Every structure is written in C-alpha cells, then in structure tokens.
Amino acid sequence: MSVSLPNGSTVAIASGYGSAKTIATASNAAAAVLGSAGHGYADGDYFEFTSGWSKATDRIFRVDNKTTDTFEAEGLNTTDTDVYPAGTGTGTTRQITGFTQLTQITNSTSEGGEQQFLTYQFLESDAQKRIPTTKTPAGITFTIADDPTLAGYLLAKTANDDRAARAILVTLSNGAKLLYNAYVSLSVIPSLTVNELMTVTVTLSLLGDPVRYES
C-alpha cells in the first residue's frame, strides 16, 4: 500500500497551444499509435486530442516513441474495439506549448463524478434492481490568495473570459502527474473575513477523466 499527502503539489494551466495537426490514422493498441505526417512532436510533449473515439476526445496525453510521421499517445489503451471502434479514432491534436503555475492555493475541493442509476422493478419481483447510467458533471475548485498581479491569476481570468478549454497539469509531490482538460472559471470577488486571508476561487469544469502518469 502506498499513500501520500498532497503537500508540495503544484497546479498549472496551459498558457499556449500549437497549431492543430491532422491525425490520419489511430491504431488499436496498448498505447494507441497516431499517424500525422511530419507532426514535429518530441517524446514528452503534452497534447490535446480531439478524436472520433468519445472516450479519448478532449483529453490530454503525452507523446511517446515518436517517429517522423507517427507517435504513441502514452496511457491511451485502445485495445477494446467495443469502446474504441477500429478506424474511427482519427481527428486532430494540439501541442501544449507552455504551462503557468496557479500559485498560493490554500484549499481545494472536488465535486461531481457520482454514478447515476436506472432503478427498476418487475411486477412479479419483490426487489428492485439497478443499472449504472451516466455520471454527474465533475469539477475541482481551488481557493487561492487574492493577488491579481500573479501570472496564474491573470491566466485564470483570461480563461474565464474567453471560455476556451485549458489543459491542467497537476504535479504531485512524488513526481506523478495528473492531466485534465477543463473550462476555467474565476470568481474575482474576494472574501472579506476578519483575520483571514483574502481569497478568490478558481473552478475547473472537467471535460473527462484525468490521465495519470507516474513520473
């Protein structure tokens, strides 16, 4: 068993994107191989994937084992063709060219993601049954010190205003990384509580499950 504290973790918001690259092929493999002529990516680059695979689209992955015209989406296992139908994963990618840290975080909370169910009962039955359906929308809210001069605050405000999804990189104290794609909202009205820091909140409305890398 391995447990850890979040102390020392950092949160960063994507500050730049490259131009969209066409993905002409996407394989079914333990790590999906994406075909894009002359893509120019390097191993370790992060990218946003827009794909015909609903389980993969709008998520953030890392480049691995790149060649001139192909690269692996590290962590994207597409061997289940019921979930990832063969020949339908094509789309586009955008490289994330930079991240800006969201500093002075005092607290974080998560919400949503709860499994919903269809509950039913047959006339002849004396017990109900249920089938899992969808999950509720998920989000994370960070409370940060109110300092509108900081780069992370300013980027969060830009993301709040333009309503464009941003990649979020959470680096844990043990080096593990969590990649989210989310809409970013900033509440600019600071708290005013005696003898407590003035704070504002940054809320992430998540577009999908995180992708996790151990290093």
Side-chain angles (χ1 to χ4, degrees):
M1 178 180 293
S2 177
V3 296
S4 59
L5 295 172
N7 303 28
S9 301
T10 61
V11 177
I13 303 172
S15 55
Y17 287 84
S19 58
K21 307 286 187 180
T22 298
I23 301 301
T25 59
S27 74
N28 293 95
V33 178
L34 307 183
S36 180
H39 53 76
Y41 292 154
D43 286 356
D45 287 344
Y46 294 110
F47 64 92
E48 176 192 73
F49 190 19
T50 302
S51 169
W53 287 323
S54 61
K55 287 284 190 180
T57 199
D58 294 328
R59 299 177 73 192
I60 310 301
F61 297 97
R62 190 165 63 185
V63 173
D64 197 17
N65 293 323
K66 65 96 178 176
T67 67
T68 300
D69 298 322
T70 67
F71 58 93
E72 289 181 3
E74 184 182 356
L76 177 58
N77 186 331
T78 58
T79 54
D80 186 343
T81 54
D82 290 331
V83 178
Y84 303 97
T88 65
T90 57
T92 60
T93 60
R94 289 194 304 161
Q95 181 185 358
I96 297 147
T97 57
F99 285 96
T100 297
Q101 186 178 346
L102 185 66
T103 56
Q104 298 184 347
I105 297 172
T106 63
N107 189 38
S108 70
T109 58
S110 59
E111 61 180 346
E114 293 91 1
Q115 182 67 60
Q116 304 296 291
F117 301 92
L118 165 66
T119 301
Y120 68 96
Q121 180 178 352
F122 295 123
L123 180 63
E124 67 272 18
S125 176
D126 62 358
Q128 292 183 328
K129 299 179 182 180
R130 67 181 188 178
I131 300 172
T133 56
T134 60
K135 294 182 180 179
T136 60
I140 302 172
T141 297
F142 296 106
T143 303
I144 65 172
D146 178 45
D147 187 346
T149 67
L150 295 177
Y153 180 109
L154 293 172
L155 181 55
K157 188 175 188 308
T158 297
N160 175 87
D161 294 343
D162 67 22
R163 287 292 186 255
R166 294 295 202 286
I168 307 296
L169 171 62
V170 178
T171 303
L172 304 181
S173 57
N174 64 3
K177 295 175 174 59
L178 295 170
L179 276 300
Y180 299 90
N181 205 18
Y183 292 109
V184 179
S185 302
L186 171 68
S187 173
V188 297
I189 301 173
S191 63
L192 297 171
T193 304
V194 174
N195 295 327
E196 292 188 12
L197 285 175
M198 290 173 58
T199 59
V200 294
T201 56
V202 176
T203 301
L204 309 180
S205 298
L206 306 182
L207 294 175
D209 291 336
V211 176
R212 183 167 187 151
Y213 300 116
E214 293 308 311
S215 61

